Amino acid sequence: MLIGLSLLAVIMPAASWSGENPSGRASVINGDTLRVHDKVVGLHGIAAPSLKQDCLDASSRSYACGAASAQALAAQISTAIITCETRQPDQNGRILATCRKDGEDLSAWMVSQGHATADRHVSTAYVMDERRAWAKRRGLWAGAFDDPAPRRHAPSSAMQQFVAAQPDEGANEPSTTASVKR
């Protein structure tokens, strides 16, 4: 009986968000998070810079890449009706969902334009979009930026940790290791 109640307690949070597919006009919270009606919805499979994050452009000048990412998403959505298909909750209490504007996957658009990166810890669905953005040096990939997704690199100061728009040796894809820009 106790095991059954414990299992029910684990399943209940999932039941509270499953089946909810938010739809309607959305407001942008940041480059990978929307508010659709009263639901906070994270775009599944991607990570965008935080709102206060600065990055370096192709000329090594600092710019507000987090704000630019959010503005790009807001411009893309505009006043359209957004439909979201819930996937899972995340550790921050957001519903992770695949959200679309007129059938276009907003996560794929954000990554393909270089405004966000593929979050490989959640999904590999957007890795090819990221590789194309990197190859064309779009958005974040034009310069250097603090990696918004949890990558396989040693922890260090967030102020010094940047993802360089350089391929791994012999690879035709973005680097997944951090380099220090000085």
Side-chain angles (χ1 to χ4, degrees):
M1 174 87 164
L2 186 57
I3 294 172
L5 288 175
S6 297
L7 183 59
L8 186 59
V10 170
I11 294 171
M12 282 305 279
S16 69
W17 65 265
S18 67
E20 292 181 25
N21 291 317
S23 177
R25 295 204 195 291
S27 58
V28 172
I29 295 173
N30 61 42
D32 60 14
T33 309
L34 304 172
R35 179 175 298 281
V36 182
H37 297 295
D38 63 340
K39 303 289 183 207
V40 176
V41 180
L43 296 179
H44 181 263
I46 70 169
S50 67
L51 280 177
K52 294 182 180 181
Q53 185 172 329
D54 288 333
C55 299
L56 299 177
D57 65 14
S59 300
S60 296
R61 289 185 306 253
S62 181
Y63 75 102
C65 59
S69 175
Q71 290 167 351
L73 180 57
Q76 178 65 7
I77 291 171
S78 187
T79 60
I81 299 298
I82 304 304
T83 58
C84 299
E85 179 184 333
T86 59
R87 311 280 268 173
Q88 65 199 54
D90 72 1
Q91 69 276 12
N92 299 319
R94 302 181 304 172
I95 297 169
L96 291 181
T98 301
C99 296
R100 291 180 167 75
K101 171 193 168 190
D102 299 327
E104 179 180 40
D105 183 339
L106 292 173
S107 293
W109 185 84
M110 287 294 288
V111 172
S112 70
Q113 299 303 306
H115 300 300
T117 61
D119 187 346
R120 290 165 175 80
H121 288 7
V122 174
S123 173
T124 58
Y126 305 108
V127 171
M128 291 306 296
D129 295 306
E130 181 181 274
R131 288 178 180 164
R132 284 189 286 274
W134 170 81
K136 293 178 180 182
R137 300 297 191 260
R138 287 187 171 163
L140 297 168
W141 297 108
F145 57 98
D146 185 17
D147 189 356
R151 305 278 190 190
R152 290 169 276 153
H153 52 71
S156 66
S157 167
M159 293 301 290
Q160 293 183 336
Q161 192 170 6
F162 289 86
V163 173
Q166 300 292 327
D168 289 334
E169 270 187 51
N172 291 324
E173 63 184 74
S175 172
T176 58
T177 59
S179 65
V180 177
K181 293 287 187 181
R182 295 179 194 223

